[in-house]
Amino acid sequence: MEIRTKNFNQNVNVALAMPTLKKAIRKATTRFNILRKQSLAQLEDVDGLRNRVKKIKEDTINNLEYYLEILKKSVQSTGGKVYRAKDGKEASEIITKIAIDNGVNKIVKGKSMVSEEINLNEVMIKKGIDVIETDLGEYIIQLAGETPSHIIVPAVHKTRGDVSNLFVEKLGIEKTDEVEKLTAAARKALRKEFCNADMGISGVNFAVAETGSIVIVENEGNGRLSTTMPKIHIALMGMEKVIPTLEDLALFLKILARSATGQKMTSYVSIITGPRKEDETDGPEQFHLVIIDNGRSKILADKDMKESLYCIRCGACLNVCPVFNNIGGHAYGWVYPGPIGSVITPQFLGLETAKMLPYASTLCGACYEVCPVRIQIPRLLLKLRNRISEQTDGVKIKREFAERIVMNLWMKSLRSKFLYELLSSFGAFITNLIAKNGKIKSLPFVLSRWTDERDFPPFAKKSFRKRWEEVKNG
Amino acid sequence: MDKDILINEFGREFTAIGGVFVKTKGEEEAVSYIQNLLKERNVDNYIVWNEPFVNEITRGLKDIKVTDALTNVKEWRNATINSDVGITTADYMISNTGTIVLKTGKGKPRLASLLPPLHICVVDKNKFISDISEIFESTRNMSTESKIEFLTTCLTFITGPSRTADIEMTLTIGVHGPKEIHVVIV
C-alpha cells in the first residue's frame, strides 16, 4: 500500500472536511462497541480469559523462533510447504515462483493485511497475473482503486449509492439502491472468479504450531471458497500469528469474534491442515505457507515494544478511539489504522516517516481497556513519543520557539512553589479579566490554536490551595 | 448434560442467527420434511455427502437428481456449482453458539456446505455438545499425529448462513456461502 503517513495533518483535514465519512465510521464503530460489550458480558470471566490469551501471546512471542520451527515441521509433516520471507520482495518472489511454476493466470484472494503491507496485488498484476479480492468490502475498494478505511469493514466509507455507481460501471448491472441486489451482483461476479481461479491466497488469523494448522475466521465464505476451489492454496502470515496448541486456539476463538463484531462466533471458522488427501473430492492439491517478517523481528528485538506483536487484529481499539472516530482509517496513511496502527506503523516504516502517528492520541486509554490481549497501547505511544522527541532513529523535529518557551516555563514553575503560585495567581487574574460570561472565546497568537476549536475556561478566582487553607483554619 | 437441554439451547442460538431448526421424531418425518422443502423450492437436483447417516435419509428422497460426493472430482465440481441444495450431516453441534462442525474426508467434501444456496444438515441427538472447548479438550492426550488426523484437512465451524455488513453496515445474508441453513434433527 502506498505510504501517506508523512501527510498526516493534511490527511486529517481532508477527513474532517467530510461529515459523511465521520457519520459512516461512527455507524460502524458504535454498533461494534455496543455488540462487543453485550457479547463479552455473556462470558463468565472476561478478564480471566484476557489474561490467559495475553499470557499465551507473551510466552509465544518470547519464544517465537522455537514455535515457528515447530510450525514449520508440522506443516511439512502434513504435506504442505513452508517458506520464510524476510520482506515483501522475498515473499513476492516466492509467490511468483509458485505461480509461474504452476501456470497460474488468476488468483483469488481472501483478506490479508500483510499482503497489503507488501503490495502483493500490484506485484502480481505487473507480472500479468490477475488478482481479485473476494471479501465484499475489499472487492469494492479494489474496483474503486481505493484503500480500506477500517480493518473489519474496509468499505464502510462508501454509501450504497457509491457502490451502485461502481457496480454499474464495472459490472454492468442496473442502477439500484438495494443493498441485497448489490451484494447479489458481487456474489455472481465473484463466483465466476472462484471457479476459474488457479490459485487462492489467504491470510491467517492463527497458525497452530503443534498441528501445522492455519485458521481463517470470516463471515462471508470467501475465505473458504478461495482455499477450496483453486488447485493451489497459499497462506500468507505475519510471523507473530503462531500460537502453540489447539487448546490455546479455543481460547482465542472465544474472544476474537466477540471483540471484533460482538458475534459469539463468526459464520465460518476454518482450521486447515495441509492439502487435500487423495481420497477427497475437493480441496486444494497444494498447500504453501509463507511466513513473513517484514520488520517484525525488529519489533521482537525491542524489549519495550515487542508487546505490539500480540495484536490479533480484532479492531476493538479502533472502535473506541475518539481520534479514529473523528478521522477514519485513511488518515493514518498506511495499512493499519487506529491505536494499534499508531503503534506499529512507525515501527514498520520508521519513526521519521510516521512520526505524527504516536501523537494521534489523547492517551485516554480506551484502547487499552478493550484490547483482548491487553496491549498497553498508551504506554507504547508514550515510548514512541519519547524516542521521537529525543530524535532517535533518524527523526528530525523542529521545535517551535513558542513551544520551547512554554515548556521551559512549565518545567521551571513545577519545580518552584513560589513561581508556581505566582503564575497561578497571575493566570487567575488575567483569565478572569478577559473572560466574557465565564468563557474565553479567543486567545491571541499561538494560543488561538486552542480557542479555534474550543473555549478556554477562566481559572478559579481562588485557588484550591487557598480555599483549603481557609477551610482548615476554620 | 442432558441432550434435550443441549438441543433446545442449540435451537435458540441457531434460530437467533438466522438458521432454521427442525426437530423430527424419526427418519420418516425427516425424509418427508426434506422432500417437501425441496419441492417448495423447485429444486431438481442436490448434492450430498456419501456418509451412512445422511444416506439413510436421502435414500428416501424421490424424483430428484442427486450427485454423490464419491463421484469423480470434475463431476463433483460441476454439480456443486450448479446445484441448489447441499445435504450433509455434522460431526459436532455446539449448543452455546449454534455452531455446526464439519470434518472433511472421503465422501465428506467441503463444497457441499458452501456452494449451494441452501444447506441442509441432518443430525442425530448424540452429536450435541455444550462448548467449543470440549472438542479441543478431547484431543488433549492424543499424539500429534492423532491430533492432525482428528482435525482432518479442513475442520469447519459453521455458525449460521453467510453474511456481511460491508455496505453501509447493512446486514445482508448469503454473500458467498449459503443463504439458508436447515438443521434437521432425527
Side-chain angles (χ1 to χ4, degrees):
Chain A
M1 189 182 289
E2 190 199 338
I3 297 170
R4 290 163 35 248
T5 54
K6 289 199 169 189
N7 310 322
F8 184 66
N9 281 343
Q10 261 166 271
N11 299 341
V12 166
N13 287 332
V14 166
L16 292 177
M18 291 167 44
T20 48
L21 173 69
K22 195 192 277 198
K23 200 159 159 223
I25 294 282
R26 285 187 187 202
K27 190 173 179 188
T29 58
T30 309
R31 176 154 339 151
F32 287 148
N33 282 334
I34 293 171
L35 293 175
R36 192 197 118 258
K37 253 201 177 134
Q38 279 173 3
S39 141
L40 287 176
Q42 295 165 352
L43 292 177
E44 239 179 70
D45 180 14
V46 186
D47 283 337
L49 179 57
R50 286 167 78 197
N51 289 337
R52 287 177 75 185
V53 292
K54 178 201 168 218
K55 190 88 192 15
I56 294 169
K57 277 290 176 180
E58 192 175 22
D59 289 343
T60 311
I61 295 295
N62 285 336
N63 296 288
L64 196 60
E65 272 311 311
Y66 171 72
Y67 286 110
L68 287 176
E69 260 311 299
I70 297 180
L71 175 65
K72 182 171 171 185
K73 292 205 170 71
S74 303
V75 173
Q76 287 168 340
S77 80
T78 64
K81 295 213 169 101
V82 182
Y83 315 80
R84 299 284 298 261
K86 188 181 72 194
D87 54 24
K89 185 161 170 292
E90 271 183 31
S92 301
E93 279 167 13
I94 292 164
I95 296 172
T96 307
K97 181 164 192 306
I98 299 172
I100 292 180
D101 286 350
N102 289 279
V104 169
N105 290 313
K106 187 189 287 256
I107 297 175
V108 282
K109 242 182 100 219
K111 215 142 127 90
S112 164
M113 304 193 77
V114 69
S115 74
E116 292 174 36
E117 280 178 43
I118 65 174
N119 293 323
L120 182 67
N121 293 11
E122 229 180 86
V123 171
M124 291 293 122
I125 290 171
K126 275 207 184 94
K127 299 222 153 72
I129 302 173
D130 212 3
V131 178
I132 294 141
E133 291 288 346
T134 60
D135 170 277
L136 179 60
E138 299 281 352
Y139 180 60
I140 290 170
I141 61 180
Q142 181 182 45
L143 285 180
E146 292 179 26
T147 55
S149 55
H150 190 291
I151 293 181
I152 307 293
V153 281
V156 73
H157 59 288
K158 294 196 107 42
T159 64
R160 63 186 72 190
D162 293 335
V163 179
S164 173
N165 293 337
L166 183 65
F167 282 5
V168 164
E169 190 199 338
K170 303 274 180 177
L171 302 180
I173 65 166
E174 259 180 50
K175 188 169 169 156
T176 173
D177 66 352
E178 286 178 50
V179 174
E180 279 233 14
K181 290 209 174 117
L182 293 171
T183 308
R187 177 188 170 107
K188 196 163 164 222
L190 284 170
R191 195 150 273 219
K192 268 204 216 99
E193 310 286 10
F194 287 124
C195 292
N196 298 324
D198 311 299
M199 178 191 278
I201 296 183
S202 76
V204 166
N205 289 91
F206 306 101
V208 182
E210 77 171 336
T211 55
S213 310
I214 62 127
V215 184
I216 300 176
V217 176
E218 58 164 330
N219 276 308
E220 292 179 21
N222 62 305
R224 290 181 69 193
L225 280 172
S226 358
T227 57
T228 301
M229 295 200 79
K231 278 211 170 92
I232 304 167
H233 171 203
I234 299 185
L236 218 51
M237 71 179 260
M239 61 196 247
E240 82 283 20
K241 291 301 185 74
V242 65
I243 59 176
T245 67
L246 286 179
E247 285 188 63
D248 294 330
L249 176 65
L251 295 176
F252 282 98
L253 289 181
K254 275 221 164 105
I255 203 162
L256 176 59
R258 289 179 195 260
S259 296
T261 58
Q263 294 173 281
K264 294 183 190 182
M265 282 272 269
T266 53
S267 298
Y268 305 113
V269 175
S270 308
I271 303 179
I272 295 172
T273 312
R276 83 159 180 244
K277 294 217 153 61
E278 283 273 341
D279 56 5
E280 290 174 19
T281 339
D282 57 30
E285 292 168 12
Q286 294 179 34
F287 175 72
H288 304 263
L289 177 63
V290 181
I291 303 175
I292 298 183
D293 181 340
N294 205 31
R296 286 156 173 79
S297 51
K298 181 162 148 259
I299 303 177
L300 187 62
D302 189 334
K303 196 166 57 85
D304 292 320
M305 303 301 296
K306 72 176 159 180
E307 73 183 85
S308 323
L309 295 176
Y310 298 176
C311 180
I312 59 176
R313 307 285 191 258
C314 68
C317 60
L318 272 64
N319 297 328
V320 292
C321 178
V323 175
F324 179 83
N325 270 287
N326 274 296
I327 65 177
H330 290 151
Y332 291 80
W334 201 52
V335 180
Y336 304 103
I340 192 63
S342 299
V343 167
I344 63 179
T345 304
Q347 297 182 75
F348 277 123
L349 302 181
L351 279 181
E352 173 60 33
T353 310
K355 67 188 174 200
M356 311 232 56
L357 289 181
Y359 294 93
S361 166
T362 62
L363 299 178
C364 69
C367 51
Y368 176 41
E369 274 180 35
V370 301
C371 179
V373 284
R374 295 196 186 275
I375 301 173
Q376 301 173 86
I377 299 177
R379 177 176 288 200
L380 298 178
L381 290 171
L382 277 175
K383 191 78 209 160
L384 290 174
R385 290 185 189 187
N386 180 231
R387 291 180 185 182
I388 290 169
S389 75
E390 302 201 334
Q391 306 200 74
T392 55
D393 275 345
V395 172
K396 299 243 177 324
I397 53 174
K398 200 176 64 118
R399 288 235 163 74
E400 285 190 45
F401 189 63
E403 188 189 338
R404 287 204 211 196
I405 300 282
V406 170
M407 282 300 166
N408 240 288
L409 202 57
W410 185 259
M411 183 175 69
K412 289 206 168 67
S413 68
L414 285 173
R415 286 177 176 170
S416 149
K417 180 168 183 243
F418 171 74
L419 195 56
Y420 186 80
E421 288 189 346
L422 182 68
L423 287 173
S424 309
S425 307
F426 181 68
F429 174 71
I430 286 283
T431 54
N432 280 288
L433 190 67
I434 67 178
K436 293 192 179 73
N437 295 329
K439 293 191 199 130
I440 301 172
K441 288 197 174 283
S442 97
L443 287 169
F445 313 119
V446 65
L447 299 173
S448 67
R449 285 209 210 152
W450 184 280
T451 48
D452 279 347
E453 303 290 334
R454 52 173 71 72
D455 298 335
F456 194 89
F459 288 20
K461 290 207 175 97
K462 205 176 266 185
S463 75
F464 176 79
R465 188 171 282 205
K466 283 215 180 73
R467 292 176 63 190
W468 180 247
E469 298 269 351
E470 286 172 10
V471 165
K472 254 199 332 181
N473 298 332
Chain B
M1 217 184 183
D2 184 10
K3 291 294 173 181
D4 285 320
I5 296 179
L6 290 178
I7 291 173
N8 290 332
E9 191 187 0
F10 182 93
R12 281 195 301 275
E13 295 291 334
F14 188 61
T15 312
I17 49 173
V20 177
F21 179 68
V22 181
K23 281 199 265 193
T24 67
K25 292 195 195 65
E27 269 180 39
E28 249 188 73
E29 224 188 287
V31 174
S32 133
Y33 174 79
I34 298 174
Q35 184 93 59
N36 289 334
L37 178 62
L38 298 186
K39 194 159 172 226
E40 228 181 90
R41 302 301 165 85
N42 286 321
V43 170
D44 59 7
N45 77 89
Y46 69 94
I47 59 177
V48 66
W49 272 8
N50 189 304
E51 199 274 349
F53 184 77
V54 188
N55 299 145
E56 271 294 309
I57 309 294
T58 56
R59 207 195 317 273
L61 296 175
K62 297 187 182 358
D63 304 322
I64 185 163
K65 182 172 180 294
V66 52
T67 305
D68 183 276
L70 283 187
T71 181
N72 66 63
V73 172
K74 200 162 171 209
E75 210 193 308
W76 174 250
R77 194 178 166 101
N78 281 332
T80 57
I81 294 170
N82 296 310
S83 175
D84 302 315
V85 180
I87 307 185
T88 71
T89 178
D91 290 276
Y92 300 94
M93 304 288 275
I94 307 176
S95 310
N96 66 5
T97 51
T99 303
I100 300 168
V101 186
L102 306 183
K103 290 189 178 184
T104 302
K106 182 177 177 184
K108 297 167 65 167
R110 310 171 194 201
L111 293 174
S113 60
L114 180 54
L115 275 179
L118 169 57
H119 171 209
I120 302 176
C121 179
V122 189
V123 77
D124 77 59
K125 294 190 176 205
N126 298 315
K127 296 289 167 68
F128 288 82
I129 60 173
S130 176
D131 186 84
I132 189 176
S133 50
E134 290 174 47
I135 299 177
F136 298 114
E137 274 164 25
S138 74
T139 68
R140 188 172 288 170
N141 296 319
M142 291 183 189
S143 68
T144 304
E145 288 80 21
S146 303
K147 281 187 193 177
I148 291 174
E149 222 186 288
F150 173 85
L151 290 176
T152 70
T153 57
C154 185
L155 185 63
T156 313
F157 294 75
I158 300 175
T159 311
S162 146
R163 68 191 65 223
T164 183
D166 271 328
I167 302 177
E168 283 193 7
M169 289 302 287
T170 306
L171 182 65
T172 315
I173 304 289
V175 194
H176 299 294
K179 273 192 164 80
E180 264 193 279
I181 310 184
H182 292 237
V183 160
V184 181
I185 305 183
V186 184

